[in-house]
């Protein structure tokens, strides 16, 4: 492999090619002869020249570039091993190892990296070497250890083989000890702040999502960037910093608060070597974790497949041209003859077939729900839809209203995001109104992924069949006003914003009194605690007034219709 040779003369190219013939003793940094060759070439071309050497002492790559632009073998090794290669390169202007050298050592997990100082006449000077240190090494502030420089004629004195063996053994031992203690994936969270007022709140919400999904959050990072980098969002320097932090915290998961495109996710994964997720994938995973009923499982699978389809990876354009033309005898065009569909195309076809099947199944479920809805309308029983931000306490409030302390009437109520995914209806009683149907709905969240909105649209549209909305707000959480506004925006998108609404400021017993009073004045909401049965009587009175107004309006409309009918007769 010979890289980055633009602008070189034939004689210089030949000298570079001769480097492949050099062999060094296995387990050594290099040889005096190789150091001289590199120094002479670097002095001649006035650029850095480097060779990548494997553990058998063979030169497998030659590059005219700095350490970051050097051509390395494309290998994916386990996290408890080093790459099996070290880099020996020459600095034409002299100097010790640069920051780029040390970053390359860490990110590529090299066995070692060495820089040869080039003297004015093209002779090798001091050789600077560094190697990695295991995570958590006492007394080491960086991810590497820089050795004292040695003269070029002593370059083969350092026993790299013994150092690598000891280092890999120590890394594996440390990793084994951490693995024995680790029962969950350890995650680093990244939220990009582009000047939003609620960036910190979004980061806290991302942490709550990660914990609900079962991850252990070991670090949260709020990154301010006015303009996002197209490929990596945060830039190469910040990714390097996050990789280093993951190395020391034994994190294997990097979660972004922004939605990542397929190319961005691949580029970030290639740069960090970590598992990459975005907020959308995290929410989809939580929905899949909590989906219980047939309908919610179908909807979650539909959303996951829609998200996955554009992110399928295949062999690229070279194989996508292959068609099922059965060879040249069948008359296929040149470049399209071959065995048939590629695996990528087969995967896409399977996903399309599964999408069609799920959509038909959900249509059948929607029809059955419509029949139940019409049955309730014939009984003329008022319907109240309980809406609100996820984990606001909607299910707990429903249980309190219907006195459903035990199964099977009790609705699942947990201190988790999206614990309830399917609409659940229970009959309750409100004084002055009589029997009412209370329906618990899917919890909302700001910037709900489009695929999930599409999948749950039929469920959300059932809200519009209610007579009154009961909007539950978690008054004890920071940013309650922002969460209330987020729910109102979703209701407006669905066309339900103008429906009669009663606001319940839940968890009032844990809320700040000043915040609670401000929110009560702003929203005309009623402070309650569903868990401790505080304020439920006042809330029922407000609901009775709202339902009564709706019923009186409907009665007036029917009377007006009868009068018009009588006039026509």
């Amino acid at each position: 492999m010979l890289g980055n040779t633009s602008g070189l003369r034939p004689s210089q190219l030949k000298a570079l090619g001769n480097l492949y013939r050099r062999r060094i003793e296995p387990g050594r940094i290099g040889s005096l002869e190789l150091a001289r060759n590199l120094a002479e070439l670097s002095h001649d071309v006035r650029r850095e020249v480097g060779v990548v050497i494997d553990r058998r002492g063979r030169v497998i790559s030659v590059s005219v570039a700095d350490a970051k632009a050097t051509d390395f073998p494309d290998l994916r090794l386990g996290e408890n091993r080093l790459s099996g290669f070290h880099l020996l390169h020459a600095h034409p202007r002299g100097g010790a190892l640069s920051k780029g050298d040390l970053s390359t050592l860490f990110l590529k997990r090299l066995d070692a990296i060495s820089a040869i100082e080039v003297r004015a006449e093209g002779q090798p000077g001091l050789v600077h070497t560094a190697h990695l240190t295991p995570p958590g090494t006492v007394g080491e502030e960086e991810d590497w250890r820089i050795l004292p420089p040695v003269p070029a004629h002593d370059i083969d004195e350092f026993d790299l083989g013994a150092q690598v063996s000891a280092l890999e053994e120590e890394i594996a031992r440390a990793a084994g000890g951490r693995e024995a203690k680790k029962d969950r994936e350890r995650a680093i969270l990244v939220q990009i702040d582009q000047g939003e007022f609620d960036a910190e709140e979004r980061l806290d919400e991302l942490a709550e999502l990660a914990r609900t999904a079962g991850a252990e959050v070991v670090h949260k990072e709020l990154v301010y960037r006015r303009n996002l980098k197209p490929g990596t969002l945060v830039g190469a320097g910040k990714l390097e910093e996050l990789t280093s932090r993951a190395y020391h915290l034994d994190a294997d998961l990097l979660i972004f608060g922004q939605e990542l495109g397929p190319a961005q996710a691949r580029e970030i994964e290639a740069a960090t070597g970590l598992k990459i997720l975005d907020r959308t994938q995290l929410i989809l995973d939580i929905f899949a974790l909590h989906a219980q009923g047939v309908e919610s499982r179908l909807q979650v699978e539909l959303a996951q497949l829609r998200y996955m389809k554009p992110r399928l990876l295949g062999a690229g354009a070279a194989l996508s041209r292959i068609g099922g033309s059965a060879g040249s005898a069948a008359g296929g065009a040149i470049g399209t003859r071959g065995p048939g569909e590629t695996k990528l195309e087969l995967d896409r076809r399977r996903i399309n077939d599964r999408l069609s099947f799920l959509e038909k199944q959900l249509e059948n479920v929607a029809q059955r729900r419509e029949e139940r809805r019409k049955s309730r309308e014939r009984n003329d029983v008022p319907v109240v839809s309980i809406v609100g931000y996820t984990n606001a306490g909607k299910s707990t409030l429903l249980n309190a209203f219907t006195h459903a302390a035990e199964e099977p009437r009790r609705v699942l109520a947990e201190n988790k995001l999206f614990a309830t995914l399917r609409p659940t209806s229970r009959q309750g009683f409100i004084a002055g109104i009589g029997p009412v149907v209370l329906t618990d709905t899917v919890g909302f969240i700001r910037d709900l992924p489009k695929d999930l909105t599409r999948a749950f649209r039929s469920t959300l549209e059932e809200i519009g069949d209610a007579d009154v909305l009961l909007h539950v707000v978690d008054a004890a959480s920071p940013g309650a006003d922002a969460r209330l506004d987020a729910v109102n925006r979703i209701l407006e998108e669905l066309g339900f914003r103008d429906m009669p609404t009663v606001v319940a400021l839940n968890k009032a017993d844990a809320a700040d009194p000043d915040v609670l009073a401000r929110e009560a004045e702003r929203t005309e909401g009623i402070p309650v605690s569903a868990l401790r049965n505080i304020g439920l009587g006042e809330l029922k009175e407000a609901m009775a007034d709202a339902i009564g107004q709706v019923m009186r309006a409907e009665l007036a409309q029917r009377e007006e219709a009868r009068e018009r009918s009588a006039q026509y007769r």
Side-chain angles (χ1 to χ4, degrees), residues 24-31 86 111-114 127-132 145-167:
I24 65 171
E25 183 181 347
R28 302 297 167 181
I29 289 290
S31 65
H86 68 274
D111 292 356
I113 190 168
S114 299
V127 180
H128 303 263
T129 300
H131 62 78
L132 291 177
R145 182 179 296 130
I146 300 176
L147 305 177
V150 298
H153 55 77
D154 291 335
I155 191 173
D156 57 354
E157 293 296 320
F158 180 66
D159 191 348
L160 179 61
Q163 172 62 39
V164 166
S165 297
L167 181 56

Side-chain angles (χ1 to χ4, degrees), residues 1-22 37-38 40-42 44-51 59 61-65 71:
M1 201 161 39
L2 191 64
N4 308 308
T5 58
S6 59
L8 299 186
R9 299 190 304 271
S11 59
Q12 293 170 334
L13 290 173
K14 183 178 180 181
L16 286 172
N18 288 336
L19 292 175
Y20 283 105
R21 301 196 182 107
R22 301 288 179 259
N37 293 150
L38 287 172
E40 289 172 2
L41 267 171
S42 179
D44 187 24
V45 302
R46 301 183 184 279
R47 290 157 65 184
E48 292 187 28
V49 178
V51 291
V59 174
S61 172
V62 179
S63 297
V64 182
D71 288 323

Side-chain angles (χ1 to χ4, degrees), residues 518-545:
R518 187 172 64 249
E519 287 300 310
E521 182 179 358
R522 186 175 81 93
T523 64
E524 298 182 359
I526 298 166
V528 300
S529 173
L531 193 63
R532 301 185 183 280
N533 290 323
I534 298 172
L536 297 187
E538 187 179 352
L539 180 59
K540 286 183 177 181
E541 290 178 6
M543 290 169 61
D545 289 342

Side-chain angles (χ1 to χ4, degrees), residues 297-425:
R297 285 174 181 165
L298 290 173
Q299 289 171 325
V300 170
E301 185 182 354
L302 185 65
Q304 287 179 316
L305 289 175
R306 282 174 175 160
Y307 182 84
M308 186 193 308
K309 183 180 172 181
R311 288 165 170 79
L312 283 177
L313 283 176
L319 286 183
S320 66
R321 295 195 303 268
I322 297 177
S325 59
S328 58
I334 296 174
T336 64
R337 302 160 188 155
E341 291 178 300
T342 63
K343 186 177 185 305
L344 175 61
E345 289 162 340
L346 287 171
D347 289 343
R348 281 178 176 157
R349 186 200 282 190
R350 290 192 188 102
I351 285 182
N352 286 332
D353 292 343
R354 185 64 179 169
L355 286 171
S356 299
F357 172 78
L358 292 174
E359 286 167 353
K360 288 178 182 176
Q361 292 289 102
L362 285 171
E363 284 176 8
N364 295 334
V365 172
Q367 288 175 1
R368 290 195 293 271
R369 193 193 300 116
E370 182 69 24
E371 292 170 2
R372 291 196 300 269
R373 206 180 301 158
K374 289 178 180 177
S375 175
R376 287 201 301 263
E377 288 176 358
R378 285 194 296 271
N379 295 333
D380 206 23
V381 178
V383 177
V384 177
S385 277
I386 305 175
V387 300
Y389 211 81
T390 181
N391 205 29
K394 301 185 297 300
S395 300
T396 305
L397 188 59
L398 176 60
N399 287 331
F401 270 151
T402 57
H403 305 289
E406 298 178 357
E407 297 289 354
R409 285 178 52 80
R410 185 176 182 275
V411 176
L412 177 66
E414 293 184 288
N415 187 23
K416 289 181 179 179
L417 304 183
F418 305 114
T420 302
L421 293 186
R422 58 175 179 171
T424 306
S425 297

